[in-house]
Amino acid sequence: MLVAWRYRKRENSFIQSFDPRAWLIFYICVLFSTLSFWDVRFLLPFFFLAWFVLLTSGVKWHEIRRAFIFIIGFIFIFAFLTFLTGRGGTEVYEQEHLLKKLEASFTILGWRPALDITVERIFFGLAQFVRVFSLGILTVLIPYSLDPALYGITFRGLGLPDKIAYAMDLTMRFIPTFGRDFQLTMDAQKARGYELEKIQGGLFEQVRKLGPLMVPVTIHAIIGSEDIIDAMDLRAFGVGPRTWLQQLTYQKRDRILIGVGVAILIVTIVVSMFGLGQFWVPPALLALVS
Amino acid sequence: MSELALIVENLSFRYRDRQGAAIHNISFAANAGEILLIAGASGCGKTTLIRAINGLIPRSYKGELTGRVLIQGENTVEMKLSTISQKVGTVLQDPERQILGTKVLNEVAFGLENLGLPRQEIFQRVDEALAHLKIQHLRGRDTFLLSGGEKQKVALAGVLAMHPSILLLDEPLASLDPASAAETLDAVRALADEGMTVLMVEHRVEDVLRIRPERVLYMSEGQIRYLGDVKGLSQVVNYREVKLPAEDILERAKHDPAPAQIKVLPGAAASPSNYEALVKFENVAFGYEADKEVLHGINLEIRRGDVIAVLGPNGSGKTTFVKHAIGLLKPKSGRVLVNGKDTKESSVAEIANTLGYVFQSPSHMLFAPTVREELAFGPTNLKHPKDEIEKEVKEALRIVNLSDKEQDPPLALSFGQQKRVSIAAILAMRSRILVMDEPTAGQDYQNYMNFMDSILQLPGFEAILFITHDVDLAVIYANRVLLVADGQLMADGSPHETLRDFNRLQACRVIPSSLLSLNVKRFGETGRFMRAEALAHV
């Protein structure tokens, strides 16, 4: 199956022991706090927090292996490219201290490739890796830990209107159907000699060649949506305030988690107001270079 | 005398963006505890009538509406949709699109949640509805993982939980295998016996007759052509338009000329070696998950001249089996040979030269802006020379009789024409074996019989294999039947050899039809299986 739910009830899972609303509030607080810092020393607690949540989530390595390797690989390449080019860093530092300059022994049309290894680039790349990794891990754990049947009531509980909250439920319901339709179309086109892996050409050409997949899937979704709307209308959707069958109740631990999340955010705001947590490199390293 | 639950008076409706009325001057009444079967060809107005009764017309579908619908004496135009939905429950054709909850519990509770009922009452009503249909064991299950029959019952439970007095069923059997269809029908009969009024739109008239509907309403061109008891129906309707029990067709067809013989697979007949194996399965086993096998030890050959019907219940492994033949799946053990070459060593594209697969719904494959481009897609992928492709496209269009549609967008054609385009797309690739999954799905009786007649006479193919739930298609068209159940090949042989043992059929959840029974009974006389019209002239 192309789309399969990653969620299952896991015993002794730290993340699953909380009300999903409490966890989402905590997650949002940590998200904004992490994004407020560029100082590796301030980011390390979030990095360790992400590891703690991952290791206590009850998610088995074989379940998360692919997603984990993809995230690590993506972030590493992203941070490494930033290190190589220095792009993005100039927004948080003004001066660079050169550790070593590497120059190629050849030229290309008169241009000699060179790489400036500076203290700032190393620490900017490191900060970027730690930031994105911490958030990536916390984000990727959500589909493994949040029961799809509770998405609607969770967002309703967070204050969204009935219709928007139910739209979340409906999305979760139809993702597997959409995945199945996509697989059917993929099989149908493969049986006509279509080979996705052999698509070549420029970006526009490649997008155009995805037409045999995207057009039928889209048309099918549009045709199907008429039935979905009928089915909702016929069972009185949207006529008034609805009862949500599942009930979520905050326990003491949920309130504590929300409190901790909010406290982290407040501390972050205060710390940021005092100008702390911005980009940092060890002064000793700078002295060494000077 | 029971009270009138539903009265429809002089009802006409024209959709806003269409010319001509979809239904015209419809009048009838239905009693409590009655099953009213609504029959008719595609486009006769059945679905529009259902929409007018359940209130979607004129609220969701705009247009000109005249006449009125009274539910327990109350005019629906003056009622809110939420009020109507508590009196009239509707089950749509495709349960996959009707089921809105991720879990069965949420799905059945959906309407009650929308009405804002207290949580305790919702739980109580959900449990009652599930118990009524004897599906309490599904309560905690994910809806996406249910079988077709289970989905249809869950959709029905979601409607019953709202306590309607009228139940509208719009082709509820379309996606079900015969055994699941029979279970659904039994549940519907039980509901009517308890006092519910049931209006059932269904092409599979013969199947519905088994649960003794009180009356039949037959529609054509938006109008009522017949309204009365079941007995009178076979005297009135065209037996080529609506599938009647074989005995009735036999009786009627005696007075008509004998049907013309169709020349099956003319392409295969011209071949010099009729018994050459085009595809060979050698002890093939497969499982989607490491520890769960869904296909066990399949051995068979597909030869020139074969017209093979694959019968079996949903989830029995039919589609998995066919996907092995076309190389979309590779066996976990054993091997599949196409033209003598192991599919593990061939790409799907290479295999497409031999086997062309037509999926159930043409909308899963049609994408091009013109029919010509749609047909050129396969041969281009297979790297046929450009001038050859031109010829192949023209030839394929001529064969399926769509030459005048070459420049039309395929998605703008009628469903039947789209089906023919999907067949032409395979013809244009010069595939030698045509493989079809539920070739008759989405078409009415007359259309699909004409469709099958024309497919079997196409000169381009050397063998045809089709998956079907319709035993009669196997009886009429196949010269070989594969019976699949639990991932195993339970029988492989001529229709008479495989289908005469009714106990075996029932063990494989295949329900014998009246046509099959008649053919088995008269086999000594005929020597082969045939359609009822032909039997009438033996």
Side-chain angles (χ1 to χ4, degrees):
Chain A
M1 201 188 302
L2 193 71
V3 178
W5 292 122
R6 288 173 170 80
Y7 168 82
R8 60 183 178 78
K9 183 84 188 137
R10 294 178 172 86
E11 296 304 322
N12 301 321
S13 164
F14 178 71
I15 184 169
Q16 286 187 24
S17 67
F18 293 101
D19 181 302
R21 293 168 300 174
W23 185 260
L24 281 182
I25 292 169
F26 177 75
Y27 167 78
I28 290 165
C29 291
V30 170
L31 175 84
F32 282 108
S33 300
T34 310
L35 290 175
S36 302
F37 297 123
W38 278 106
D39 186 332
V40 176
R41 294 169 303 172
F42 284 74
L43 288 168
L44 278 177
F46 296 106
F47 184 72
F48 292 129
L49 172 72
W51 272 107
F52 171 76
V53 175
L54 174 66
L55 294 175
T56 59
S57 65
V59 179
K60 297 276 186 294
W61 169 242
H62 70 87
E63 293 177 83
I64 205 168
R65 189 184 62 212
R66 283 175 72 179
F68 190 83
I69 291 171
F70 176 78
I71 287 176
I72 287 275
F74 178 78
I75 299 170
F76 184 78
I77 290 168
F78 190 60
F80 188 64
L81 283 175
T82 310
F83 165 72
L84 289 180
T85 61
R87 291 186 70 174
T90 48
E91 289 167 21
V92 296
Y93 56 80
E94 291 166 356
Q95 201 187 351
E96 291 187 65
H97 294 79
L98 191 68
L99 275 174
K100 195 170 176 61
K101 188 176 185 77
L102 299 176
E103 280 194 330
S105 56
F106 55 87
T107 60
I108 303 165
L109 300 171
W111 170 70
R112 186 178 297 280
L115 171 64
D116 291 338
I117 301 178
T118 70
V119 178
E120 284 75 11
R121 284 194 193 183
I122 291 172
F123 272 81
F124 183 71
L126 186 63
Q128 197 169 49
F129 181 84
V130 173
R131 277 175 119 205
V132 185
F133 179 83
S134 310
L135 296 180
I137 289 300
L138 289 180
T139 309
V140 85
L141 281 174
I142 290 176
Y144 291 88
S145 315
L146 209 70
D147 186 348
L150 296 179
Y151 272 76
I153 184 61
T154 300
F155 284 95
R156 180 73 188 98
L158 290 172
L160 275 97
D162 272 347
K163 284 186 181 175
I164 296 175
Y166 195 77
M168 300 298 297
D169 255 3
L170 211 54
T171 307
M172 292 301 129
R173 157 69 186 90
F174 281 99
I175 283 175
T177 304
F178 183 76
R180 188 206 56 181
D181 285 350
F182 188 85
Q183 186 68 60
L184 268 172
T185 296
M186 178 81 106
D187 286 349
Q189 306 304 39
K190 269 183 168 177
R192 296 163 79 191
Y194 178 73
E195 291 173 294
L196 188 60
E197 53 278 14
K198 288 192 182 168
I199 287 184
Q200 290 171 342
L203 182 66
F204 285 109
E205 186 60 12
Q206 288 195 25
V207 171
R208 197 181 67 80
K209 285 180 178 170
L210 283 175
L213 283 182
M214 300 323 291
V215 173
V217 169
T218 310
I219 297 288
H220 218 77
I222 292 170
I223 295 170
S225 65
E226 187 175 294
D227 273 351
I228 295 168
I229 294 166
D230 282 356
M232 293 175 81
D233 284 346
L234 288 170
R235 286 200 281 162
F237 182 74
V239 295
R242 78 193 300 272
T243 307
W244 290 80
L245 199 58
Q246 270 81 13
Q247 261 180 314
L248 295 174
T249 317
Y250 285 126
Q251 306 294 325
K252 190 176 172 191
R253 59 199 331 289
D254 300 314
R255 294 196 181 91
I256 293 173
L257 185 71
I258 293 172
V260 171
V262 172
I264 290 173
L265 187 62
I266 291 171
V267 169
T268 301
I269 293 168
V270 173
V271 163
S272 299
M273 283 165 68
F274 282 99
L276 296 169
Q278 302 311 304
F279 185 63
W280 172 84
V281 289
L285 199 57
L286 289 181
L288 198 71
V289 176
S290 306
Chain B
M1 180 74 190
S2 50
E3 64 174 301
L4 286 176
L6 171 74
I7 299 171
V8 176
E9 281 179 358
N10 301 321
L11 196 70
S12 299
F13 183 74
R14 184 181 71 79
Y15 288 97
R16 187 168 56 185
D17 52 354
R18 289 188 216 163
Q19 286 189 334
I23 50 173
H24 186 65
N25 228 10
I26 303 282
S27 294
F28 68 93
N31 299 311
E34 173 182 30
I35 295 179
L36 177 63
L37 169 62
I38 304 177
S42 291
C44 72
K46 305 184 297 283
T47 299
T48 304
L49 175 61
I50 292 288
R51 285 175 181 160
I53 296 171
N54 64 26
L56 284 178
I57 288 175
R59 292 163 188 81
S60 302
Y61 297 89
K62 305 287 181 196
E64 280 171 29
L65 178 72
T66 56
R68 57 182 195 158
V69 176
L70 302 174
I71 294 168
Q72 286 155 352
E74 214 177 330
N75 191 339
T76 55
V77 173
E78 290 151 16
M79 295 160 78
K80 286 184 182 169
L81 195 57
S82 56
T83 313
I84 300 175
S85 69
Q86 292 172 75
K87 294 175 183 290
V88 180
T90 310
V91 177
L92 304 172
Q93 191 181 97
D94 182 2
E96 180 63 37
R97 307 279 173 190
Q98 179 171 15
I99 287 180
L100 304 163
T102 44
K103 299 273 184 194
V104 169
L105 173 66
N106 297 76
E107 166 54 25
V108 180
F110 178 74
L112 307 174
E113 289 179 304
N114 294 333
L115 295 173
L117 298 184
R119 198 170 278 113
Q120 205 48 45
E121 187 180 343
I122 296 178
F123 276 115
Q124 190 194 327
R125 285 215 211 172
V126 167
D127 288 334
E128 278 170 14
L130 292 173
H132 207 110
L133 296 170
K134 300 185 182 70
I135 51 169
Q136 301 99 310
H137 58 287
L138 301 179
R139 193 178 190 267
R141 295 261 300 272
D142 286 329
T143 49
F144 183 71
L145 299 176
L146 301 175
S147 71
E150 287 171 337
K151 277 182 185 159
Q152 197 61 281
K153 281 190 191 161
V154 168
L156 187 55
V159 167
L160 293 184
M162 298 182 78
H163 292 175
S165 54
I166 299 171
L167 184 61
L168 307 179
L169 302 157
D170 192 357
E171 293 188 41
L173 314 180
S175 57
L176 305 184
D177 60 45
S180 303
E183 286 167 15
T184 303
L185 286 169
D186 288 341
V188 169
R189 180 69 259 179
L191 289 169
D193 290 344
E194 289 162 19
M196 192 173 280
T197 306
V198 179
L199 271 65
M200 183 185 289
V201 169
E202 189 51 62
H203 288 309
R204 288 156 75 164
V205 169
E206 188 193 351
D207 292 354
V208 184
L209 294 185
R210 202 178 55 77
I211 59 163
R212 302 165 278 104
E214 275 70 14
R215 287 185 302 159
V216 184
L217 188 157
Y218 173 62
M219 290 179 73
S220 164
E221 295 170 342
Q223 291 179 306
I224 295 178
R225 302 292 180 198
Y226 173 77
L227 177 59
D229 60 14
V230 173
K231 217 172 168 187
L233 176 73
S234 55
Q235 304 307 315
V236 181
V237 303
N238 181 346
Y239 61 84
R240 292 183 190 89
E241 264 184 34
V242 173
K243 189 179 175 186
L244 298 171
E247 294 82 1
D248 293 355
I249 300 176
L250 198 73
E251 206 49 50
R252 295 272 305 276
K254 272 181 190 165
H255 312 292
D256 293 338
Q261 280 267 343
I262 63 167
K263 189 170 165 51
V264 176
L265 289 181
S271 163
S273 50
N274 273 351
Y275 297 104
E276 181 189 332
L278 297 168
V279 180
K280 198 169 183 184
F281 278 63
E282 290 179 351
N283 212 18
V284 170
F286 179 80
Y288 292 95
E289 292 155 34
D291 54 346
K292 201 176 165 196
E293 211 174 81
V294 292
L295 223 52
H296 326 279
I298 304 285
N299 286 294
L300 64 90
E301 291 180 353
I302 300 175
R303 296 176 291 267
R304 280 206 174 91
D306 277 345
V307 179
I308 304 175
V310 184
L311 289 173
N314 285 339
S316 60
K318 303 186 299 291
T319 303
T320 306
F321 155 68
V322 166
K323 281 186 174 177
H324 274 84
I326 59 171
L328 282 170
L329 295 173
K330 315 285 180 187
K332 287 271 154 63
S333 66
R335 57 182 193 156
V336 179
L337 303 172
V338 174
N339 278 328
K341 193 176 172 189
D342 195 328
T343 55
K344 282 183 183 155
E345 291 152 18
S346 317
S347 68
V348 181
E350 284 171 319
I351 296 169
N353 282 309
T354 304
L355 289 117
Y357 190 16
V358 178
F359 282 68
Q360 201 177 108
S361 164
S363 62
H364 275 129
M365 67 180 266
L366 301 180
F367 72 97
T370 65
V371 170
R372 202 200 71 78
E373 286 172 79
E374 190 70 57
L375 267 52
F377 176 69
T380 308
N381 289 332
L382 301 182
K383 310 262 183 309
H384 290 191
K386 223 169 179 176
D387 49 343
E388 270 300 303
I389 294 175
E390 276 303 312
K391 275 192 224 161
E392 287 161 349
V393 168
K394 298 260 186 234
E395 174 74 0
L397 281 171
R398 189 187 59 73
I399 291 172
V400 299
N401 203 17
L402 284 174
S403 296
D404 57 328
K405 305 283 183 199
E406 193 175 338
Q407 293 306 323
D408 288 13
L411 290 164
L413 301 177
S414 71
F415 186 85
Q417 288 170 329
Q418 285 187 11
K419 271 273 197 196
R420 276 150 64 196
V421 172
S422 60
I423 302 284
I426 303 307
L427 273 168
M429 294 197 303
R430 295 270 154 96
S431 302
R432 295 156 68 193
I433 305 176
L434 176 65
V435 181
M436 298 185 283
D437 190 357
E438 289 289 350
T440 60
Q443 301 187 75
D444 64 36
Y445 179 61
Q446 186 169 30
N447 274 325
Y448 77 61
M449 292 304 279
N450 289 340
F451 175 78
M452 288 301 289
D453 281 350
S454 59
I455 294 300
L456 262 85
Q457 294 179 83
L458 293 180
F461 298 113
E462 295 172 19
I464 291 178
L465 181 145
F466 58 92
I467 297 175
T468 185
H469 285 318
D470 190 339
V471 180
D472 286 354
L473 283 191
V475 169
I476 296 170
Y477 295 106
N479 56 25
R480 185 175 162 196
V481 176
L482 306 180
L483 208 52
V484 181
D486 298 325
Q488 283 175 314
L489 198 54
M490 309 303 278
D492 175 2
S494 71
H496 181 249
E497 285 163 354
T498 47
L499 300 176
R500 69 181 164 192
D501 182 349
F502 287 7
N503 289 332
R504 180 167 61 190
L505 290 186
Q506 261 147 5
C508 298
R509 289 176 65 82
V510 173
I511 294 183
S513 63
S514 57
L515 181 64
L516 174 60
S517 304
L518 205 58
N519 268 292
V520 170
K521 205 162 114 192
R522 294 186 56 180
F523 189 75
E525 198 184 331
T526 59
R528 65 185 174 91
F529 283 3
M530 55 183 72
R531 64 187 79 202
E533 296 92 312
L535 273 174
H537 295 275
V538 172

